[in-house]
Amino acid sequence: MCGNNMSVPLLSEAVTVPGTEKETAVVIFLHGLGDTGHGWADTMTSIRLPYIKYICPHAPRIPVTLNMKMTMPSWFDLTGLSPESPEDEAGIKRAAENIKAIIDHEVKNGIPSSRIILGGFSQGGALSLYTSLTSQQHLAGVVGLSCWLPLHKTFPQAASGSGNKDTPILQCHGEMDPMIPVQFGAMTAEKLKTIISPQNVTFRTYPGLMHSSCPQQTPVLYTTLHVN
């Protein structure tokens, strides 16, 4: 079955790195605030496997309160980057539904959800965590780089219908991150352990790393983002 990308708004503009043989798995990776899918598509290309399709959608351009209401690519509005900052609940839930639509589209096209990995960096990683925990589709795995769990106070109740209570989640975080402090990442990991099976939560930190990815993460991403 071949679905129409135009029926899924984020897919029609997404950067897609196709497999070089029959595609039997999918990685969906979400960029951070102010970025696009292009940079992460390059990263995915460098670690690609021939049977995996990599989808890197672009966030819509919206005014962002944190950045003086400047319009930029953002999955949802941000007012602050601390655990107690007010959150854009409606925007977060809307964004999660848009990512779930991509997952549903791939499933309809013949890829089992258990062969789909969802990941992201910073705001994109945050959205990946929230989407997976509120999705009924059972995913192969989730990766969150330098991120946090949005609407954390609504969990574990918000995950009551989740199909990912036993799905492995990998978090990677720089120990010198000035934007999302590593302590925030550690708090997120501990929160995740109250929502899903604790043994399925892995939290890795990287000395000297700020709010970015690094070459040391490549082997971890290579292993994690490959569905056997």
Side-chain angles (χ1 to χ4, degrees):
M1 177 180 177
C2 184
N4 182 357
N5 283 5
M6 297 302 292
S7 64
V8 182
L10 288 180
L11 266 182
S12 63
E13 299 292 334
V15 184
T16 299
V17 180
T20 55
E21 57 186 50
K22 179 178 171 58
E23 296 168 348
T24 62
V26 170
V27 170
I28 302 166
F29 202 88
L30 311 178
H31 64 75
L33 177 68
D35 200 359
T36 70
H38 288 289
W40 285 102
D42 291 342
T43 301
M44 297 299 115
T45 300
S46 71
I47 61 173
R48 70 196 295 193
L49 280 182
Y51 56 85
I52 299 180
K53 174 168 69 174
Y54 301 86
I55 301 172
C56 298
H58 306 305
R61 293 178 60 84
I62 63 171
V64 176
T65 302
L66 180 65
N67 287 347
M68 298 179 291
K69 288 286 187 181
M70 289 177 59
T71 297
M72 63 185 62
S74 183
W75 298 108
F76 47 86
D77 191 22
L78 288 167
T79 59
L81 293 174
S82 78
E84 301 307 318
S85 296
E87 295 186 272
D88 176 17
E89 181 173 357
I92 292 165
K93 290 181 175 179
R94 181 168 55 250
E97 290 305 312
N98 287 336
I99 303 305
K100 291 173 190 176
I102 297 178
I103 296 170
D104 291 344
H105 180 272
E106 295 305 311
V107 171
K108 288 176 182 176
N109 279 355
I111 304 295
S113 65
S114 59
R115 292 187 59 76
I116 297 175
I117 287 177
L118 179 60
F121 172 76
S122 192
Q123 189 191 42
L127 180 56
S128 296
L129 293 180
Y130 184 84
T131 301
S132 66
L133 293 174
T134 58
S135 174
Q136 296 180 359
Q137 297 274 23
H138 173 64
L139 302 174
V142 182
V143 178
L145 307 181
S146 306
C147 69
W148 70 96
L149 176 61
L151 304 178
H152 60 96
K153 293 179 180 179
T154 66
F155 291 95
Q157 292 82 2
S160 59
S162 175
N164 293 296
K165 297 289 183 69
D166 295 309
T167 297
I169 296 179
L170 170 66
Q171 278 182 266
C172 298
H173 215 112
E175 293 181 7
M176 300 298 290
D177 190 331
M179 295 184 66
I180 313 294
V182 67
Q183 294 86 350
F184 196 178
M187 290 168 54
T188 295
E190 291 307 307
K191 181 70 175 184
L192 290 174
K193 290 176 182 177
T194 70
I195 304 170
I196 71 169
S197 302
Q199 65 270 24
N200 285 338
V201 178
T202 301
F203 182 57
R204 296 175 182 261
T205 62
Y206 297 82
L209 181 65
M210 300 183 75
H211 191 66
S212 63
S213 59
C214 66
Q216 291 91 331
Q217 290 176 342
T218 301
V220 178
L221 289 176
Y222 189 90
T223 302
T224 306
L225 294 178
H226 287 167
V227 187
N228 294 324

